[in-house]
Amino acid sequence: MLFIALFLAGASTLPIPLPGPALQADPKIIVAEARASFDAGEYAKTIAILRDRTAPWESAGNDRPALDAYDLLALSYWNSGKVEDSKLAALKAQAVASRLGLAKEAIKSGAYIEIIELYKKAKALRDSEKNFAGSIPVFDQAIALARKIESPDFEAKCLRQQSINHYKLANAAAYRDLNREALALALRTKNRREEGICRNNLGIYYLESDDYSEALAQAEKALEIARAFDSPVNITDSLTTLSLIYTELGEFDKAARAQAEVLALDAPAGDSIRLGIDLNNLGIIHRRKGLISEDRRDFESAAQAFEKALAKIEKGDNPKLKAQFSNNIGTAYSQLGEFDKALASFEAALKLADQIKDYEIKSIILNNIGIVYARLGEFEKSTGYYQRAIDLALEYSGKTYLWEIYLELGNARRSQGRPQEAAEDYRAAISIIEDIRATISSEELRATYFGSDKRLDAYYNLIDMLVADDAPEAAQAAFETLEKAKARSFLDSLEVRAYMNQHPAGDLRAINREKALLNDLSRAYRKLLEPGLDGAKKAPAQAEIVRIEDELESVRREMRRADAALAALKYPSVAAFAEARAILPDARTTAVAFMIGKEKSYAFALSKSRLWVYPIPPRNILRAEVEAYIRRISDPASADFAAGAALFEELIKPALEKDTEKIIIIPDGILTYLPFEALSTQKSPIRWLVQDYEVSYAPSLSSYREIQARAARTHARSKPALLAVGAPAYPSPAKEKEAETLIQGLYPDLGIASLRLPNAGREIDQIAALFPERRRTVLSGTAATEEAFKALAPDRYRVVHFAAHGLVDDQKPMRSAIVLAPGAGPYADGLLQAREVLDLRLESDLVVLSACRTGLGRLLRGEGIEGLNRAFFAAGASAVLMTLWSVSDAAGVPLMDRFYRRLRSAESVAASLRAAKIEMIGSPAFAHPYYWAGYIAAGAADRVIFPSHKLFWILLILGTGIALVLIKKLLLARR
C-alpha cells in the first residue's frame, strides 16, 4: 500500500528494486510477482521485473514461465502505449506457445498481433488519410476480436481510439458511450493511464454538452492521473480541457494559468498544430475577459494571439482549425470596431466551413457575421444571418452558442422596431442560459458562468423593453426578470449550506482529504516565513498555495457531487411580484432594486401598495459619479459633499413615498460600494439620508425572503448572547513580525504594515460590559485564536462580534480573512479565511465584522460582492454588519458602543445602527462620514435580537390581578 500511495502521489520515477536472490532462483515466483504488479495496474514495474529475464529463461528451457512472461509483457507494453514493443512480445509468445504445442495460447498471441495490426491500420486511416468512416469498421474488427479472446486491455484502448472517429464525424452520443465503455474497462483493469485519457475525452464531451460540473470533474481527475504518471502529452491535453471549461465559466485567471502551463510544456517540441491550438485558446481567454472588462487591450491581445495561431498552421492541411482560427480573428476585430477586417476573416472561415461541411462552425460564423452587420446598422441583413445560424445550431449543435444567437437576433429585431419578436428572442436566450446554469453543481461556478460573457444582457435587454411598455403587468414582468438576474448563486448557497449544516457527514476519505489539504495549505503559508524568501524567491511558494487552493476547491466540488441528496436539492424559487411585495415587513418600507446597464439603467421601487420604475444614469456616468463621491466621504480631509445631493435626487428621491421610513437597498454594479446613508437630502445645512430614513441592504428580494425565513426559524432557539473576538495579541515581537511577514506574502497588495489595533481591545471590553457575564464569551489578546473561535462557533451565539484586521482579496475571494492570534497547533496560521467560514454552523442573528473593508471582495455581474460577508451569511448569519472601506480604529469604539446600547434596548439591527450614526453625526470629533458611513447592515436587519420583556411582565401582573379578583368574586358567590 505504501508503494501505491507513493506512485499515485507522483513517484512513478522511483527506482524499482530487483528481486532478491531467492526470487531469481524460481521463475514461477517471479512471474507471480509480475502478475501481481500487472493486476495492480503497475505496468512499468511489471516490465522492469520481466524484460531482462524472458530470453535467459527461454534459453534455459523454462519455456512456460517465458510464455507467461511474454504474455504479460505484451499486455504491459500495450497498456503503456508502446504498441510495437507489445507486438514483439506477442510474436515471441506465439513462437513459444507453438513450440510447446499450446494451441489456445498460440491463438491468443496471434489475436494480439492481429488486433495490433488492425489498430495501426485504423489509426492510419483516421489520422493520416482523414478517412473517419473507413476507420470505424477496422476498429470494430479489433474490438470484436478483443472481446472474443476476453482481453479488456486491448478492448479498452480500441474503444477509446474508435471514439475519436465518432467525434470527428460529430456523433457526440457514440463518442460519449465508447469512452464510458472504455473507462469502465480501464477501472476494472486498474489501467490508470487509460482511465485518465478516457476521463479527459469525457470532459470534452461534457464541455461541449454544456454540463460544466461534470466536465470539470472529469478533466480534474484526468489531470491528476496525468501528473501522477508524469505524462507531458496527457498533462497538456487535460490542462487544455480545464482551460476551456474555466473560460466558459468566466474563471479567466484560472484559465490563463492553465493555458500558460500548456504553452510552456508544448513549446520545446515545436509542434505547430499544438502551439497553434494553444495560442488560439489563449486568445479566447483574452476575448472573453474583454467582454467583461470592456478594455480594448484585452481584444488587441486576443487578435494578436489568434493571428499567431493561424500563422502556426498556415502551411499545414487542416481546414477545420483554419476555419476556427479565422473566425476567432474576426471576433476580435469585430470587438475592436475594425469591421472590414472582421468580415474578411469571417468570409474566409465560412468558405472553409462549407468546404469541410462543418455545420456547427458554420452556425457560429453566421452568427458573428450577423453581429457585424447589426453594428453597421444593416439589421435586415443581420437578421437573415442570425436565422440561418439558429437553423443550423438547432440541427447540429448544442446550447453552448444558441443563447448568444437568440440574444443577437433579439437585438437586431429590436433595432428594426419589432419588439414582440425581440422579447421572444430574449426569453429564448434566457431559457437556454437557465437550463445550462441548472446543470452546474457549484453555486460559485454558477455565479461566474452567469456573470461572464454577454449572458446578463439577455435579461437586461428584456427588462429595458418591458420598462418601455406602460402597462402595469409589463413593469411587474420586468421586476421578476430583474430578480432572476440578481444574486441567484447567493440564493442557492443559502439552501446548500442549510442542507450541509443538517447533514455534515460525508465520504470519510473525502473528508480526510479535505482536512489534509487544509493542513497542507497552512504548511504552504508557513513557507512564506522562510528567511531570505523575498521577490522572485516567493513565486514557487505562492504557486504551491494556488495549487493547493485549486485542489481543495476540486475536492469540495467532488464531495458535493457525490452526495445524491445534495445533487437532487431543489433550490429556492425566485420571488414573483406578488410574493416580493408580501415580503416587505410593513407599509413604511420601500425596497429599491437597481439595474445598471451599459446604455440604460433603472431603479425599481416596491412598496406594499405599488411598484414603480424610474430611469437613472447609465453605467459609465454613474460609475464616475459614485467613485468620485466615495473618494470624498471616505477621506476625512474632504468637506465637499455636494455630489451626495445630486446622487440622492437621481437614485433615491423618486422612490420615496410620504409614509416611507425604511429603505431596503438592492444594489447593482458600482452601487454595491456606495453607503446610501451618506447621501444628502439637502445641501445647506447638510442633512444626511440616515437622519431621515433607516437603511439596510440585501442582494435581492428573493434572498431577503430566505434570510428572513431562516432568521424566524433560528431566533427562537435558546442561545448565549455574545461571542466577542478580537484585539489579537502575539506572545512575542518575533511572532508578531512572523504574522506580518505571512500576511504581506499572501496579500502583497493590501499594504498591511502593522497588525496593531490600539483601540480594538477597548471596543471588545465596552461591548462585553453590556452583557451579563454568564451570557457572554470573550476571546481577546492571545486567547483570540482561530482554533478557539472555531471551537465556540457551533454554540450558536445570537451575536458574533469581530474587532480585528480584515484582509480582502478581490481576485481570490475565498482567501479573504479575519486576522486572529496564532494558535499553538502546527497548522495554526491565525487567518480565519472565507473558505473556512463556510464550514461553520453559526445560526447567529447577527455577525459584526468591525474590521477594514469586510463588505468588499470580488464583484460579479448580477451577483454582487463575493467575500467574507457572504461567507458568514452562508454559514448561518441572519444579518451581517460590515464595512466598505478602511474604517477608523478610534471611531469604531464609540460607534459600536452606541450601536450595542441601542441593540440591547430592544431596537432592531438597522435602527440601532442608524441611531449610532446619528449620534456620531452630532459629535464634533466624528461628524465626518468617514467615521460612520462605512458601516452598513445587510440581511434580516429589521429584526429585534434582544426584545424587551417589560410588556410581558406588565401583562403578567395585570393578568394575575384580574385572575385574583375573579377568584375572589367566585368564592363570595359560593357563600
Side-chain angles (χ1 to χ4, degrees), residues 816-858:
S816 298
I818 300 290
V819 180
L820 299 177
Y827 310 116
D829 52 44
L831 300 175
L832 179 65
Q833 293 187 322
R835 64 167 55 88
E836 296 170 293
V837 172
L838 289 173
D839 290 334
L840 302 175
R841 288 185 287 158
L842 293 177
E843 291 193 3
S844 298
D845 292 304
L846 173 67
V847 171
V848 178
L849 303 175
S850 183
C852 294
R853 304 169 68 234
T854 51
L856 304 185
R858 178 170 61 170

Side-chain angles (χ1 to χ4, degrees), residues 302-320:
Q304 290 170 11
F306 292 142
E307 294 277 15
K308 288 178 182 177
L310 185 59
K312 286 285 181 188
I313 65 164
E314 196 67 62
K315 294 178 181 177
D317 180 24
N318 201 320
K320 181 169 183 174

Side-chain angles (χ1 to χ4, degrees), residues 58 63 66-74 86-100 102 105-110 112-113:
E58 205 177 342
D63 286 335
L67 172 60
D68 292 340
Y70 283 133
D71 183 77
L72 282 171
L73 282 170
S86 175
K87 181 182 174 182
L88 287 172
L91 284 166
K92 290 186 177 182
Q94 186 183 42
V96 174
S98 297
R99 188 167 63 245
L100 292 174
L102 300 173
E105 284 76 0
I107 290 170
K108 183 172 72 168
S109 300
Y112 288 177
I113 297 163

Side-chain angles (χ1 to χ4, degrees), residues 182-246:
L183 177 59
L185 291 169
L187 290 169
R188 195 175 101 198
T189 58
K190 299 180 182 175
N191 187 336
R192 294 280 283 164
R193 180 178 179 275
E194 197 65 39
E195 178 193 345
I197 300 171
C198 290
R199 287 193 183 281
N200 187 63
N201 288 350
L202 286 169
I204 293 168
Y205 165 78
Y206 287 116
L207 167 63
E208 296 184 358
S209 303
D210 313 314
D211 188 344
Y212 300 119
S213 290
E214 190 62 32
L216 195 57
Q218 296 293 350
E220 285 176 335
K221 286 180 181 176
L223 180 60
E224 177 191 335
I225 293 167
R227 288 198 194 282
F229 282 85
D230 194 25
S231 172
V233 171
N234 292 343
I235 290 171
T236 56
D237 286 348
S238 300
L239 281 167
T240 297
T241 305
L242 277 172
S243 174
L244 293 170
I245 296 165
Y246 281 129

Side-chain angles (χ1 to χ4, degrees), residues 24-25 27 53-66 99:
Q24 291 182 28
R53 290 190 167 97
T54 48
W57 287 344
E58 205 177 342
S59 299
N62 290 316
D63 286 335
R64 185 66 217 205
R99 188 167 63 245

Side-chain angles (χ1 to χ4, degrees), residues 483 486 591-595 664-668 696-701:
E483 275 293 298
K486 274 193 175 293
V592 188
F594 294 96
M595 187 209 90
I664 300 172
I665 300 292
I666 300 164
D668 189 27
S696 63
Y697 299 79
S700 67
L701 278 176

Side-chain angles (χ1 to χ4, degrees), residues 832-958:
L832 179 65
Q833 293 187 322
R835 64 167 55 88
E836 296 170 293
V837 172
L838 289 173
D839 290 334
L840 302 175
R841 288 185 287 158
L842 293 177
E843 291 193 3
S844 298
D845 292 304
L846 173 67
V847 171
V848 178
L849 303 175
S850 183
C852 294
R853 304 169 68 234
T854 51
L856 304 185
R858 178 170 61 170
L859 179 62
L860 292 173
R861 283 190 72 205
E863 192 61 34
I865 294 288
E866 183 186 12
L868 272 172
N869 69 85
R870 291 222 175 167
F872 277 103
F873 272 121
S878 296
V880 177
L881 197 159
M882 65 194 95
T883 59
L884 294 176
W885 54 69
S886 297
V887 292
S888 164
D889 178 41
V893 177
L895 187 144
M896 283 297 150
D897 180 63
R898 288 161 173 149
F899 167 73
Y900 275 100
R901 287 182 185 278
R902 293 283 188 160
L903 195 68
R904 292 286 288 128
S905 301
E907 293 191 26
S908 70
V909 174
S912 299
L913 184 59
R914 179 192 176 211
K917 289 182 175 184
I918 291 172
E919 288 186 47
M920 295 287 280
I921 291 166
S923 166
F926 300 118
H928 193 286
Y930 163 72
Y931 297 107
W932 53 264
Y935 295 85
I936 64 170
D942 62 325
R943 297 188 69 84
V944 175
I945 297 176
F946 302 107
S948 172
H949 297 296
K950 288 180 181 178
L951 181 59
F952 169 79
W953 289 110
I954 291 169
L955 291 174
L956 182 63
I957 291 166
L958 285 172

Side-chain angles (χ1 to χ4, degrees), residues 327-384:
N327 169 74
N328 292 346
I329 291 168
T331 63
Y333 284 125
S334 177
Q335 292 294 337
L336 290 167
E338 299 182 37
F339 299 126
D340 288 343
K341 285 185 178 180
L343 284 173
S345 294
F346 289 142
E347 291 298 339
L350 191 61
K351 186 177 179 181
L352 288 164
D354 279 330
Q355 176 186 321
I356 59 176
K357 294 181 172 56
D358 192 316
Y359 300 112
E360 182 176 2
I361 294 176
K362 185 175 180 179
S363 170
I364 295 166
I365 298 166
L366 289 169
N367 178 58
N368 289 331
I369 294 173
I371 291 171
V372 172
Y373 282 119
R375 289 179 178 172
L376 290 169
E378 299 183 41
F379 299 112
E380 285 292 339
K381 208 168 186 177
S382 72
T383 302

